[in-house]
Coordinates of all heavy atoms in Angstrom, one line a residue:
S1 N 38.0 -33.0 -28.7 CA 38.3 -31.6 -28.8 C 37.6 -30.9 -29.9 O 37.3 -29.7 -29.8 CB 39.8 -31.4 -28.9 OG 40.3 -32.0 -30.1
D2 N 37.3 -31.5 -31.0 CA 36.6 -30.9 -32.1 C 35.3 -30.4 -31.6 O 34.8 -29.4 -32.1 CB 36.4 -31.9 -33.3 CG 37.7 -32.3 -33.9 OD1 38.6 -31.5 -33.9 OD2 37.8 -33.4 -34.5
L3 N 34.6 -31.2 -30.7 CA 33.2 -30.8 -30.3 C 33.2 -29.5 -29.4 O 32.4 -28.6 -29.6 CB 32.7 -31.9 -29.5 CG 32.5 -33.2 -30.2 CD1 32.0 -34.3 -29.3 CD2 31.4 -33.0 -31.4
V4 N 34.3 -29.4 -28.6 CA 34.4 -28.1 -27.8 C 34.6 -26.9 -28.6 O 34.1 -25.8 -28.4 CB 35.6 -28.3 -26.7 CG1 35.8 -27.0 -26.0 CG2 35.3 -29.4 -25.8
L5 N 35.3 -27.0 -29.7 CA 35.6 -25.9 -30.6 C 34.3 -25.4 -31.2 O 34.2 -24.2 -31.7 CB 36.6 -26.3 -31.7 CG 38.0 -26.6 -31.2 CD1 38.9 -27.1 -32.3 CD2 38.6 -25.4 -30.5
K6 N 33.3 -26.2 -31.3 CA 32.0 -25.8 -31.9 C 31.0 -25.2 -30.9 O 29.8 -25.1 -31.2 CB 31.4 -27.0 -32.7 CG 32.3 -27.4 -33.8 CD 31.6 -28.5 -34.6 CE 32.6 -28.9 -35.7 NZ 32.0 -29.7 -36.7
L7 N 31.5 -24.9 -29.7 CA 30.7 -24.4 -28.6 C 30.9 -22.9 -28.4 O 32.1 -22.5 -28.4 CB 31.0 -25.2 -27.4 CG 30.1 -25.0 -26.1 CD1 28.7 -25.4 -26.5 CD2 30.6 -25.9 -25.0
F8 N 29.9 -22.2 -28.3 CA 30.0 -20.7 -28.0 C 29.5 -20.4 -26.7 O 28.6 -21.0 -26.2 CB 29.2 -20.0 -29.1 CG 29.7 -20.2 -30.5 CD1 29.0 -21.2 -31.3 CD2 30.7 -19.6 -31.1 CE1 29.4 -21.5 -32.6 CE2 31.2 -19.9 -32.3 CZ 30.5 -20.8 -33.1
V9 N 30.0 -19.4 -26.1 CA 29.7 -18.9 -24.7 C 28.2 -18.7 -24.6 O 27.6 -19.2 -23.6 CB 30.4 -17.6 -24.4 CG1 29.9 -17.0 -23.1 CG2 32.0 -17.9 -24.2
E10 N 27.5 -18.1 -25.5 CA 26.1 -17.9 -25.5 C 25.3 -19.2 -25.5 O 24.1 -19.2 -25.2 CB 25.6 -16.9 -26.6 CG 25.9 -17.4 -28.0 CD 27.2 -16.9 -28.6 OE1 28.1 -16.5 -27.8 OE2 27.3 -17.1 -29.8
D11 N 25.9 -20.3 -25.8 CA 25.2 -21.6 -25.8 C 25.3 -22.4 -24.6 O 24.9 -23.6 -24.4 CB 25.8 -22.5 -27.0 CG 25.6 -21.9 -28.3 OD1 24.5 -21.2 -28.5 OD2 26.4 -22.1 -29.2
I12 N 25.9 -21.7 -23.5 CA 26.0 -22.3 -22.1 C 25.3 -21.4 -21.2 O 25.5 -20.2 -21.1 CB 27.4 -22.4 -21.7 CG1 28.3 -23.2 -22.7 CG2 27.5 -23.1 -20.3 CD1 29.8 -23.2 -22.5
F13 N 24.3 -21.9 -20.5 CA 23.5 -21.1 -19.6 C 23.0 -21.9 -18.4 O 22.7 -23.0 -18.5 CB 22.4 -20.3 -20.3 CG 21.5 -21.2 -21.2 CD1 20.4 -21.8 -20.6 CD2 21.8 -21.5 -22.5 CE1 19.5 -22.5 -21.4 CE2 21.0 -22.3 -23.2 CZ 19.8 -22.8 -22.7
P14 N 22.8 -21.1 -17.3 CA 22.2 -21.8 -16.1 C 20.7 -21.9 -16.2 O 20.1 -21.1 -16.8 CB 22.6 -20.9 -14.9 CG 22.7 -19.6 -15.6 CD 23.2 -19.8 -17.0
N15 N 20.2 -22.9 -15.5 CA 18.7 -23.1 -15.4 C 18.3 -22.8 -14.0 O 19.1 -22.9 -13.0 CB 18.3 -24.6 -15.7 CG 18.5 -24.9 -17.2 OD1 18.1 -24.2 -18.1 ND2 19.2 -26.0 -17.4
P16 N 17.1 -22.3 -13.8 CA 16.7 -21.9 -12.5 C 16.7 -22.9 -11.4 O 16.8 -22.7 -10.2 CB 15.2 -21.4 -12.7 CG 14.9 -21.5 -14.1 CD 16.1 -22.1 -14.8
H17 N 16.7 -24.2 -11.8 CA 16.7 -25.3 -10.8 C 18.1 -25.9 -10.6 O 18.2 -27.0 -9.9 CB 15.7 -26.4 -11.2 CG 15.9 -26.9 -12.6 ND1 15.3 -26.2 -13.7 CD2 16.6 -27.9 -13.2 CE1 15.6 -26.8 -14.8 NE2 16.4 -27.9 -14.5
G18 N 19.1 -25.1 -10.9 CA 20.5 -25.5 -10.5 C 21.3 -26.3 -11.5 O 22.4 -26.7 -11.2
T19 N 20.8 -26.5 -12.7 CA 21.5 -27.3 -13.7 C 22.1 -26.3 -14.7 O 21.8 -25.1 -14.8 CB 20.7 -28.3 -14.4 OG1 19.6 -27.6 -15.1 CG2 20.1 -29.3 -13.5
I20 N 23.0 -26.8 -15.5 CA 23.6 -26.0 -16.7 C 23.1 -26.6 -17.9 O 23.1 -27.9 -18.1 CB 25.1 -26.1 -16.6 CG1 25.7 -25.5 -15.3 CG2 25.8 -25.4 -17.8 CD1 25.5 -24.0 -15.1
N21 N 22.7 -25.8 -18.9 CA 22.4 -26.2 -20.2 C 23.4 -25.9 -21.2 O 24.0 -24.7 -21.2 CB 21.1 -25.6 -20.6 CG 20.1 -26.5 -21.3 OD1 19.6 -27.4 -20.6 ND2 19.9 -26.3 -22.6
I22 N 23.8 -26.8 -22.1 CA 24.7 -26.6 -23.1 C 24.0 -26.9 -24.5 O 23.4 -28.0 -24.6 CB 26.0 -27.4 -23.0 CG1 26.6 -27.2 -21.6 CG2 27.0 -27.1 -24.1 CD1 27.6 -28.2 -21.3
E23 N 24.0 -26.1 -25.5 CA 23.4 -26.3 -26.7 C 24.3 -26.2 -27.9 O 25.2 -25.3 -27.9 CB 22.2 -25.3 -26.9 CG 21.2 -25.6 -25.8 CD 19.8 -25.0 -26.2 OE1 19.7 -24.5 -27.3 OE2 18.9 -25.2 -25.4
W24 N 24.2 -27.2 -28.8 CA 24.9 -27.1 -30.1 C 24.0 -27.1 -31.2 O 22.9 -27.6 -31.1 CB 25.8 -28.4 -30.2 CG 26.9 -28.6 -29.2 CD1 28.2 -28.2 -29.5 CD2 26.9 -29.2 -28.0 NE1 29.0 -28.6 -28.4 CE2 28.2 -29.2 -27.5 CE3 25.9 -29.8 -27.2 CZ2 28.6 -29.8 -26.2 CZ3 26.2 -30.3 -25.9 CH2 27.5 -30.3 -25.4
F25 N 24.4 -26.5 -32.2 CA 23.6 -26.3 -33.5 C 24.5 -26.8 -34.7 O 25.7 -26.5 -34.7 CB 23.1 -24.9 -33.7 CG 22.3 -24.4 -32.6 CD1 22.8 -23.8 -31.4 CD2 20.9 -24.7 -32.6 CE1 22.1 -23.3 -30.4 CE2 20.1 -24.2 -31.6 CZ 20.7 -23.6 -30.4
N26 N 23.9 -27.6 -35.6 CA 24.7 -28.0 -36.7 C 24.3 -27.3 -38.0 O 23.3 -26.5 -38.0 CB 24.7 -29.5 -36.9 CG 23.3 -30.1 -37.2 OD1 22.4 -29.4 -37.6 ND2 23.2 -31.4 -37.0
D27 N 24.8 -27.7 -39.1 CA 24.6 -27.0 -40.4 C 23.2 -27.4 -41.0 O 22.8 -26.7 -41.9 CB 25.6 -27.4 -41.4 CG 27.0 -26.9 -41.0 OD1 27.1 -25.9 -40.2 OD2 28.0 -27.4 -41.4
T28 N 22.5 -28.3 -40.4 CA 21.2 -28.7 -40.9 C 20.1 -28.2 -40.1 O 19.0 -28.8 -40.1 CB 21.1 -30.2 -41.1 OG1 21.3 -30.9 -39.9 CG2 22.1 -30.7 -42.1
D29 N 20.4 -27.2 -39.2 CA 19.4 -26.6 -38.3 C 18.8 -27.6 -37.2 O 17.7 -27.4 -36.8 CB 18.2 -26.0 -39.1 CG 18.6 -24.8 -39.9 OD1 19.5 -24.1 -39.5 OD2 18.0 -24.7 -41.0
E30 N 19.7 -28.5 -36.9 CA 19.3 -29.4 -35.7 C 19.9 -28.9 -34.5 O 20.9 -28.1 -34.5 CB 19.8 -30.8 -36.0 CG 19.2 -31.5 -37.1 CD 19.8 -32.9 -37.3 OE1 21.0 -33.0 -37.5 OE2 19.0 -33.8 -37.5
N31 N 19.4 -29.1 -33.3 CA 19.8 -28.7 -32.0 C 20.0 -29.9 -31.1 O 19.2 -30.7 -31.0 CB 18.7 -27.7 -31.4 CG 18.9 -27.4 -30.0 OD1 18.1 -27.7 -29.2 ND2 20.0 -26.7 -29.7
F32 N 21.2 -29.9 -30.5 CA 21.6 -30.9 -29.5 C 21.6 -30.2 -28.2 O 22.5 -29.3 -28.0 CB 22.9 -31.5 -29.8 CG 23.2 -32.8 -29.1 CD1 23.0 -34.0 -29.6 CD2 23.6 -32.7 -27.8 CE1 23.2 -35.2 -28.9 CE2 23.9 -33.9 -27.0 CZ 23.7 -35.1 -27.6
S33 N 20.8 -30.5 -27.2 CA 20.7 -29.9 -25.9 C 21.1 -30.8 -24.8 O 20.6 -32.0 -24.8 CB 19.3 -29.4 -25.7 OG 19.2 -28.7 -24.4
L34 N 22.1 -30.4 -24.0 CA 22.5 -31.2 -22.9 C 22.3 -30.4 -21.6 O 22.8 -29.3 -21.5 CB 24.0 -31.5 -23.0 CG 24.7 -32.2 -21.9 CD1 24.2 -33.6 -21.7 CD2 26.2 -32.3 -22.1
E35 N 21.6 -31.1 -20.7 CA 21.3 -30.4 -19.4 C 22.1 -31.3 -18.3 O 21.9 -32.5 -18.2 CB 19.9 -30.4 -19.0 CG 19.6 -29.8 -17.7 CD 18.1 -29.6 -17.3 OE1 17.2 -30.1 -18.2 OE2 17.8 -29.1 -16.3
V36 N 23.0 -30.6 -17.6 CA 23.9 -31.3 -16.7 C 23.6 -30.8 -15.2 O 23.7 -29.6 -15.0 CB 25.4 -31.1 -17.0 CG1 26.3 -31.8 -16.1 CG2 25.7 -31.4 -18.5
G37 N 23.4 -31.7 -14.4 CA 23.3 -31.5 -12.9 C 24.5 -32.0 -12.2 O 25.6 -32.3 -12.8
K38 N 24.4 -32.1 -10.9 CA 25.6 -32.5 -10.0 C 25.9 -33.9 -10.3 O 27.1 -34.3 -10.3 CB 25.1 -32.4 -8.5 CG 26.2 -32.6 -7.6 CD 25.8 -32.4 -6.2 CE 26.9 -32.7 -5.2 NZ 26.5 -32.4 -3.8
E39 N 25.0 -34.8 -10.6 CA 25.3 -36.3 -10.8 C 24.7 -36.8 -12.0 O 25.1 -38.0 -12.5 CB 25.0 -37.1 -9.5 CG 25.8 -36.7 -8.4 CD 25.5 -37.6 -7.1 OE1 24.8 -38.6 -7.3 OE2 26.0 -37.2 -6.1
I40 N 23.7 -36.2 -12.6 CA 23.0 -36.7 -13.7 C 22.9 -35.7 -14.8 O 23.1 -34.5 -14.6 CB 21.6 -37.3 -13.4 CG1 20.7 -36.2 -12.8 CG2 21.7 -38.4 -12.4 CD1 19.3 -36.6 -12.7
A41 N 22.5 -36.2 -16.1 CA 22.4 -35.4 -17.2 C 21.3 -35.9 -18.1 O 20.9 -37.1 -18.0 CB 23.6 -35.2 -17.9
T42 N 20.8 -35.0 -18.9 CA 19.8 -35.4 -19.9 C 20.2 -34.7 -21.3 O 20.6 -33.6 -21.3 CB 18.4 -34.9 -19.5 OG1 18.0 -35.6 -18.3 CG2 17.4 -35.2 -20.6
F43 N 20.1 -35.5 -22.4 CA 20.3 -34.9 -23.6 C 19.1 -35.1 -24.6 O 18.4 -36.1 -24.4 CB 21.6 -35.3 -24.3 CG 21.6 -36.6 -24.9 CD1 21.0 -36.8 -26.2 CD2 22.2 -37.7 -24.3 CE1 21.1 -38.1 -26.8 CE2 22.2 -38.9 -24.9 CZ 21.6 -39.1 -26.1
L44 N 18.9 -34.2 -25.5 CA 17.9 -34.4 -26.5 C 18.4 -33.8 -27.8 O 19.1 -32.8 -27.8 CB 16.5 -34.0 -26.1 CG 16.4 -32.5 -25.8 CD1 15.9 -31.7 -27.0 CD2 15.3 -32.4 -24.7
L45 N 18.1 -34.4 -28.9 CA 18.4 -33.9 -30.2 C 17.0 -33.5 -30.9 O 16.1 -34.4 -30.9 CB 19.1 -35.0 -31.1 CG 19.3 -34.7 -32.5 CD1 20.2 -33.5 -32.7 CD2 20.0 -35.9 -33.2
I46 N 17.0 -32.3 -31.3 CA 15.8 -31.8 -32.0 C 16.0 -31.6 -33.5 O 17.0 -30.8 -33.8 CB 15.3 -30.5 -31.3 CG1 15.1 -30.8 -29.8 CG2 14.0 -30.0 -32.0 CD1 14.9 -29.5 -29.1
D47 N 15.4 -32.3 -34.3 CA 15.6 -32.2 -35.8 C 15.0 -30.8 -36.3 O 14.4 -30.1 -35.5 CB 15.1 -33.4 -36.6 CG 13.5 -33.5 -36.6 OD1 12.9 -32.5 -36.3 OD2 13.1 -34.6 -36.8
K48 N 15.3 -30.6 -37.5 CA 14.9 -29.2 -38.1 C 13.4 -29.0 -38.2 O 12.9 -27.9 -38.3 CB 15.5 -29.1 -39.5 CG 15.2 -30.1 -40.5 CD 15.9 -29.8 -41.8 CE 15.7 -31.0 -42.8 NZ 16.5 -30.9 -44.0
E49 N 12.6 -30.1 -38.0 CA 11.1 -30.0 -38.0 C 10.7 -29.7 -36.5 O 9.5 -29.6 -36.3 CB 10.5 -31.2 -38.6 CG 10.4 -31.2 -40.1 CD 11.7 -31.9 -40.6 OE1 12.3 -32.8 -40.0 OE2 12.2 -31.5 -41.7
G50 N 11.6 -29.7 -35.6 CA 11.2 -29.6 -34.2 C 10.9 -30.8 -33.4 O 10.3 -30.7 -32.3
K51 N 11.2 -32.0 -34.0 CA 10.8 -33.3 -33.4 C 12.0 -33.8 -32.7 O 13.1 -33.7 -33.2 CB 10.3 -34.2 -34.4 CG 9.0 -33.8 -35.1 CD 8.6 -34.8 -36.2 CE 7.4 -34.3 -36.9 NZ 7.1 -35.1 -38.1
Y52 N 11.8 -34.5 -31.6 CA 12.9 -35.2 -30.9 C 13.3 -36.4 -31.7 O 12.5 -37.3 -32.0 CB 12.5 -35.7 -29.6 CG 12.1 -34.6 -28.5 CD1 11.0 -34.7 -27.8 CD2 12.8 -33.4 -28.5 CE1 10.6 -33.7 -26.8 CE2 12.4 -32.4 -27.6 CZ 11.3 -32.6 -26.8 OH 10.9 -31.6 -25.9
S53 N 14.6 -36.5 -32.1 CA 15.0 -37.6 -32.9 C 15.9 -38.5 -32.0 O 16.2 -39.7 -32.4 CB 15.7 -37.2 -34.1 OG 16.8 -36.4 -33.8
S54 N 16.4 -38.0 -30.8 CA 17.2 -38.8 -30.0 C 17.0 -38.2 -28.6 O 16.9 -37.0 -28.4 CB 18.7 -38.8 -30.3 OG 19.4 -39.7 -29.5
Y55 N 17.0 -39.1 -27.5 CA 16.7 -38.7 -26.2 C 17.2 -39.6 -25.2 O 17.1 -40.8 -25.3 CB 15.2 -38.5 -26.0 CG 14.7 -37.9 -24.8 CD1 14.8 -36.6 -24.4 CD2 14.1 -38.8 -23.8 CE1 14.4 -36.1 -23.2 CE2 13.7 -38.3 -22.6 CZ 13.9 -37.0 -22.3 OH 13.4 -36.5 -21.1
K56 N 17.9 -39.1 -24.1 CA 18.3 -39.9 -23.1 C 18.2 -39.1 -21.8 O 18.8 -38.0 -21.7 CB 19.8 -40.3 -23.2 CG 20.4 -41.1 -22.1 CD 20.1 -42.6 -22.1 CE 20.8 -43.2 -21.0 NZ 20.8 -44.7 -21.1
E57 N 17.4 -39.6 -20.9 CA 17.1 -38.9 -19.6 C 17.8 -39.4 -18.4 O 17.8 -40.7 -18.2 CB 15.6 -38.9 -19.4 CG 15.1 -38.1 -18.3 CD 13.6 -38.0 -18.2 OE1 12.9 -39.0 -18.5 OE2 13.1 -36.9 -17.7
N58 N 18.3 -38.6 -17.6 CA 18.8 -38.9 -16.2 C 19.9 -40.0 -16.2 O 19.8 -40.9 -15.5 CB 17.6 -39.2 -15.3 CG 16.7 -38.1 -15.1 OD1 17.1 -37.0 -15.1 ND2 15.4 -38.4 -14.8
F59 N 20.9 -39.8 -17.1 CA 22.0 -40.7 -17.0 C 23.1 -40.2 -16.1 O 23.2 -39.0 -15.9 CB 22.5 -41.1 -18.4 CG 23.1 -39.9 -19.2 CD1 24.5 -39.6 -19.1 CD2 22.3 -39.1 -20.0 CE1 25.0 -38.5 -19.7 CE2 22.9 -38.1 -20.7 CZ 24.2 -37.7 -20.6
S60 N 23.8 -41.1 -15.5 CA 24.9 -40.7 -14.6 C 26.1 -40.1 -15.3 O 26.7 -40.7 -16.3 CB 25.4 -42.0 -13.8 OG 26.6 -41.6 -13.1
I61 N 26.6 -39.0 -14.9 CA 27.7 -38.3 -15.5 C 29.0 -38.9 -15.0 O 30.1 -38.6 -15.5 CB 27.7 -36.8 -15.4 CG1 27.7 -36.4 -13.9 CG2 26.6 -36.2 -16.1 CD1 27.9 -34.9 -13.7
K62 N 28.9 -39.8 -14.0 CA 30.0 -40.6 -13.5 C 30.3 -41.9 -14.2 O 31.3 -42.5 -13.9 CB 29.9 -40.7 -12.0 CG 29.8 -39.4 -11.2 CD 29.6 -39.6 -9.8 CE 29.5 -38.3 -9.0 NZ 29.3 -38.4 -7.6
D63 N 29.4 -42.3 -15.0 CA 29.4 -43.5 -15.7 C 30.2 -43.4 -17.1 O 29.7 -42.7 -18.0 CB 28.0 -44.1 -15.9 CG 28.0 -45.5 -16.6 OD1 28.9 -45.8 -17.4 OD2 27.0 -46.2 -16.4
S64 N 31.3 -44.0 -17.2 CA 32.1 -43.8 -18.5 C 31.4 -44.3 -19.7 O 31.6 -43.8 -20.8 CB 33.6 -44.4 -18.2 OG 33.4 -45.8 -18.1
N65 N 30.6 -45.4 -19.5 CA 29.9 -45.8 -20.7 C 28.9 -44.8 -21.1 O 28.7 -44.6 -22.4 CB 29.2 -47.2 -20.4 CG 30.2 -48.3 -20.3 OD1 31.2 -48.3 -20.9 ND2 29.9 -49.2 -19.3
E66 N 28.2 -44.2 -20.2 CA 27.2 -43.2 -20.6 C 27.9 -41.9 -21.2 O 27.3 -41.4 -22.2 CB 26.4 -42.7 -19.3 CG 25.6 -43.8 -18.7 CD 24.3 -44.0 -19.5 OE1 24.1 -43.6 -20.6 OE2 23.5 -44.8 -18.9
I67 N 29.0 -41.5 -20.7 CA 29.7 -40.4 -21.3 C 30.2 -40.8 -22.7 O 30.1 -39.9 -23.7 CB 30.9 -40.0 -20.4 CG1 30.4 -39.5 -19.1 CG2 31.8 -38.9 -21.1 CD1 29.4 -38.4 -19.1
S68 N 30.6 -42.0 -22.9 CA 31.1 -42.5 -24.3 C 29.8 -42.4 -25.2 O 30.0 -42.1 -26.3 CB 31.6 -43.9 -24.1 OG 32.0 -44.4 -25.4
N69 N 28.7 -42.8 -24.7 CA 27.5 -42.8 -25.5 C 27.2 -41.4 -25.9 O 26.7 -41.1 -27.1 CB 26.3 -43.5 -24.8 CG 26.5 -45.0 -24.7 OD1 27.2 -45.6 -25.4 ND2 25.7 -45.5 -23.7
L70 N 27.3 -40.5 -25.0 CA 27.0 -39.0 -25.2 C 28.0 -38.6 -26.3 O 27.6 -37.9 -27.2 CB 27.2 -38.2 -23.9 CG 27.1 -36.7 -24.0 CD1 25.8 -36.3 -24.6 CD2 27.4 -36.1 -22.8
N71 N 29.2 -38.9 -26.2 CA 30.2 -38.5 -27.1 C 29.9 -39.0 -28.5 O 30.0 -38.3 -29.5 CB 31.6 -39.0 -26.7 CG 32.7 -38.5 -27.6 OD1 32.8 -37.3 -27.9 ND2 33.6 -39.4 -28.0
N72 N 29.5 -40.2 -28.6 CA 29.1 -40.9 -29.9 C 27.9 -40.1 -30.5 O 27.8 -39.9 -31.7 CB 28.8 -42.4 -29.7 CG 30.1 -43.1 -29.5 OD1 31.1 -42.7 -29.8 ND2 29.9 -44.3 -28.8
E73 N 26.9 -39.8 -29.6 CA 25.7 -39.0 -30.1 C 26.1 -37.6 -30.7 O 25.6 -37.3 -31.7 CB 24.7 -38.8 -29.0 CG 24.0 -40.1 -28.6 CD 23.0 -40.6 -29.7 OE1 22.5 -39.8 -30.4 OE2 22.7 -41.8 -29.7
L74 N 27.0 -37.0 -30.1 CA 27.5 -35.7 -30.5 C 28.3 -35.9 -31.8 O 28.2 -35.0 -32.7 CB 28.4 -35.0 -29.5 CG 27.6 -34.2 -28.4 CD1 28.5 -33.9 -27.3 CD2 26.9 -33.0 -29.0
K75 N 29.1 -36.9 -31.9 CA 29.8 -37.2 -33.2 C 28.8 -37.4 -34.3 O 29.1 -36.9 -35.4 CB 30.8 -38.3 -33.0 CG 32.0 -38.0 -32.2 CD 32.9 -39.2 -32.0 CE 34.1 -38.8 -31.3 NZ 35.1 -39.9 -31.2
K76 N 27.8 -38.1 -34.1 CA 26.8 -38.4 -35.1 C 26.1 -37.1 -35.5 O 25.8 -36.8 -36.7 CB 25.7 -39.4 -34.6 CG 26.2 -40.8 -34.7 CD 25.0 -41.8 -34.5 CE 24.4 -41.7 -33.1 NZ 23.4 -42.8 -32.8
F77 N 25.8 -36.2 -34.5 CA 25.2 -35.0 -34.7 C 26.0 -34.1 -35.7 O 25.5 -33.4 -36.5 CB 25.1 -34.3 -33.3 CG 24.4 -32.9 -33.4 CD1 23.1 -32.7 -33.7 CD2 25.2 -31.8 -33.1 CE1 22.5 -31.5 -33.7 CE2 24.6 -30.5 -33.1 CZ 23.3 -30.3 -33.4
Y78 N 27.3 -34.2 -35.5 CA 28.2 -33.3 -36.4 C 28.8 -34.1 -37.5 O 29.7 -33.7 -38.3 CB 29.4 -32.7 -35.6 CG 29.0 -31.5 -34.8 CD1 29.0 -31.5 -33.4 CD2 28.6 -30.4 -35.5 CE1 28.6 -30.3 -32.7 CE2 28.2 -29.2 -34.8 CZ 28.2 -29.2 -33.5 OH 27.9 -28.1 -32.8
N79 N 28.3 -35.4 -37.7 CA 28.9 -36.2 -38.8 C 30.4 -36.4 -38.7 O 31.1 -36.2 -39.7 CB 28.4 -35.7 -40.2 CG 27.0 -35.8 -40.4 OD1 26.3 -36.8 -40.0 ND2 26.3 -34.8 -40.8
I80 N 30.9 -36.6 -37.5 CA 32.3 -36.7 -37.3 C 32.7 -38.2 -37.3 O 32.1 -39.0 -36.7 CB 32.8 -36.1 -36.0 CG1 32.6 -34.6 -36.1 CG2 34.3 -36.4 -35.7 CD1 32.8 -33.8 -34.8

């Protein structure tokens, strides 16, 4: 629930190919981007220098282990 509270409406937007993008920003100018489709998702973490520091492509949103991993990545992103 802490993660949802750090999400703003302007950080959720549709992509032209039918997916939804959700973006989080932390206090150190890093960006966590999650693209969600019907059955798969991709996330990436971009550090303050603009480099990818974490990345996971095309994981199943129906897989509880994958969702748990995503949750852990977001907790690390926010130092929770």
Side-chain angles (χ1 to χ4, degrees):
S1 64
D2 293 334
L3 299 174
V4 174
L5 295 176
K6 296 182 181 194
L7 187 61
F8 300 96
V9 169
E10 59 270 13
D11 297 330
I12 304 170
F13 51 91
N15 293 310
H17 51 276
T19 60
I20 301 292
N21 221 67
I22 305 168
E23 298 204 357
W24 290 267
F25 300 89
N26 66 15
D27 295 336
T28 61
D29 294 327
E30 293 176 311
N31 169 240
F32 192 102
S33 179
L34 174 65
E35 183 176 358
V36 182
K38 187 175 180 179
E39 296 184 8
I40 60 171
T42 296
F43 76 80
L44 57 95
L45 173 60
I46 303 169
D47 66 20
K48 60 185 173 185
E49 284 86 32
K51 298 177 185 171
Y52 299 140
S53 61
S54 185
Y55 180 76
K56 175 81 178 194
E57 184 176 33
N58 297 330
F59 64 90
S60 171
I61 60 174
K62 297 179 181 180
D63 183 332
S64 60
N65 289 326
E66 295 285 9
I67 298 303
S68 179
N69 291 338
L70 172 62
N71 186 50
N72 289 336
E73 289 288 335
L74 277 166
K75 284 181 178 181
K76 284 193 295 188
F77 179 72
Y78 280 116
N79 294 316
I80 296 175

